Amino acid sequence: MAPLASLSLLCVTLLVCATAPNATAHRTLREGFYSETCPRAEEIVRETVEFGLLLNPGAAGGLIRLFTHDCLVKGCDASILLDDTPTGEPVEKDSPPNRGSLRGLSIIDDAKRRLESVCPGTVSCADILAFAARDAVVLSSLSSYSVPAGRRDACASRATDVAGNLLPPTASVSNLTSLFAAKGFSQEEMVTLLGAHSVGGAVCPTFDYRLYNYRPGQPQDPTMDPLFASYLKLRCPRTRSYFFPMMRSFSNRYVPFNPLSALRQGNTFYVDLIKGKALLESDQGLMGDADTSSIVRQMAAAGPAWWAEEFGRAMVKLGKVGVLTGNRGEVRRWCRRVN
């Protein structure tokens, strides 16, 4: 295609996306958004998530992470699901924090496929993500919560937007607090949302430096429980030897945040922090700050039901960050590409 024609196509695509003719008149999110246009929308997503987690229980943490990573980067607009866009730029999936580590994408694809067969062009991928994250939370033994809907999908996804919005596992409490504050969250809400790390896990390269190469003269992170460190060394053996090249595949092993409750979410995350049993340095760092350590101890001492309610409220608030509503964005027919 000629450059001029390609540019014209891009302009038309972006214009249609910004002012979709089927755009709803609703300007804010609300519960029961699809009660008339697609009454079984939430039920279909729930059934799909249930089946997906039956086949792959570990995907629960992945769905929550997908939703979180989407919302923290330019808002909850399903931009994280795009494989490519008309601009040809690298998308959010290609950024270092997301590359090769996103789980649960096939569940979102299946839910969208089912919804398109029943209510074509009606339920946005952004809302599917929000519903699926809620269902993953419930299937991880936490309380259910109502999800206001009416989000629309973005027509752009840029890897460059990820920088500064998704922090590395080495992030300090100060950096985390600043990031969440910029999104409108208090420090207590931040610590509450990080409790999602009670379900799911991480691959060895995100934390194995804490076992072997933490600081000069201090190979192991002193804040980590020694027995927990020994367990992690068995799961993530040192692989930088030229004499054992076949062992390098072990470096990408997936390790649960909590080996005793990998599929159950709860306030045990905070108990583990007090014991020095966090995989990620950014999580363990919460105990090194006077303010956040106080919050951690409060949440560890609180009953699981109380924390579950707080977590649900924080997830609802997260789902309202930077949403597209009204005639902004579009409802994608397939979540991996723009219409």
Side-chain angles (χ1 to χ4, degrees):
M1 183 181 293
L4 184 57
S6 177
L7 180 60
S8 298
L9 176 61
L10 172 59
C11 292
V12 170
T13 300
L14 295 179
L15 179 61
V16 169
C17 188
T19 58
N22 293 327
T24 176
H26 297 288
R27 299 289 178 176
T28 57
L29 306 183
R30 61 180 174 85
E31 296 175 18
F33 185 83
Y34 298 106
S35 59
E36 296 182 3
T37 56
C38 192
R40 293 192 62 235
E42 295 189 49
E43 181 184 351
I44 289 172
V45 174
R46 183 178 67 251
E47 291 173 351
T48 308
V49 171
E50 287 175 348
F51 183 71
L53 297 190
L54 185 65
L55 298 178
N56 180 14
L63 289 171
I64 298 169
R65 186 170 184 259
L66 262 180
F67 173 69
T68 302
H69 279 213
D70 182 52
C71 292
L72 290 179
V73 179
K74 307 289 283 187
C76 309
D77 57 7
S79 54
I80 197 171
L81 301 177
L82 289 170
D83 285 340
D84 53 61
T85 65
T87 64
E89 297 176 76
V91 292
E92 290 175 34
K93 284 181 180 177
D94 300 328
S95 65
N98 291 326
R99 189 183 303 127
S101 65
L102 299 179
R103 299 168 184 268
L105 291 166
S106 62
I107 295 176
I108 302 299
D109 288 340
D110 290 343
K112 181 61 173 175
R113 190 177 301 112
R114 289 187 61 189
L115 285 166
E116 283 298 303
S117 69
V118 177
C119 312
T122 302
V123 184
S124 69
C125 299
D127 279 342
I128 293 173
L129 261 183
F131 295 148
R134 184 266 313 278
D135 297 333
V137 167
V138 174
L139 292 169
S140 299
S141 304
L142 289 190
S143 306
S144 184
Y145 54 89
S146 297
V147 176
R151 300 167 188 80
R152 290 170 64 83
D153 302 324
C155 297
S157 179
R158 301 179 181 86
T160 53
D161 289 335
V162 173
N165 287 303
L166 296 181
L167 298 180
T170 56
S172 66
V173 171
S174 175
N175 288 337
L176 285 170
T177 301
S178 296
L179 169 63
F180 278 88
K183 311 294 180 183
F185 290 89
S186 69
Q187 200 170 53
E188 183 171 353
E189 289 170 327
M190 174 192 80
V191 176
T192 301
L193 286 170
L194 289 175
H197 288 169
S198 59
V199 66
V203 292
C204 294
T206 59
F207 61 84
D208 63 2
Y209 68 92
R210 300 180 67 202
L211 304 172
Y212 304 112
N213 191 33
Y214 186 60
R215 288 174 183 162
Q218 194 174 50
Q220 187 170 300
D221 186 345
T223 66
M224 183 179 286
D225 174 76
L227 290 178
F228 185 58
S230 297
Y231 157 76
L232 293 178
K233 287 178 180 178
L234 293 175
R235 298 299 305 271
C236 304
R238 202 165 192 173
T239 61
R240 295 178 178 83
S241 170
Y242 288 102
F243 299 102
F244 300 98
M246 295 301 292
M247 291 184 65
R248 288 180 182 171
S249 61
F250 283 46
S251 66
N252 286 320
R253 272 185 170 176
Y254 185 74
V255 180
F257 287 121
N258 184 330
L260 300 180
S261 61
L263 306 179
R264 294 178 64 86
Q265 195 168 14
N267 67 337
T268 52
F269 168 76
Y270 305 102
V271 176
D272 287 341
L273 289 185
I274 294 172
K275 295 179 179 178
K277 294 184 177 181
L279 279 189
L280 305 182
E281 185 177 11
S282 54
D283 286 344
Q284 192 61 58
L286 297 175
M287 288 303 298
D289 178 270
D291 293 330
T292 53
S293 65
S294 176
I295 298 171
V296 167
R297 293 184 187 281
Q298 176 190 359
M299 293 186 175
W306 176 85
W307 179 79
E309 292 293 329
E310 292 299 306
F311 184 75
R313 276 193 282 270
M315 286 288 281
V316 170
K317 182 173 179 177
L318 178 63
K320 297 178 180 179
V321 173
V323 296
L324 302 175
T325 59
N327 63 355
R328 296 185 301 156
E330 66 178 9
V331 175
R332 291 189 216 131
R333 300 185 189 93
W334 190 41
C335 292
R336 292 176 180 260
R337 64 168 178 253
V338 299
N339 293 338

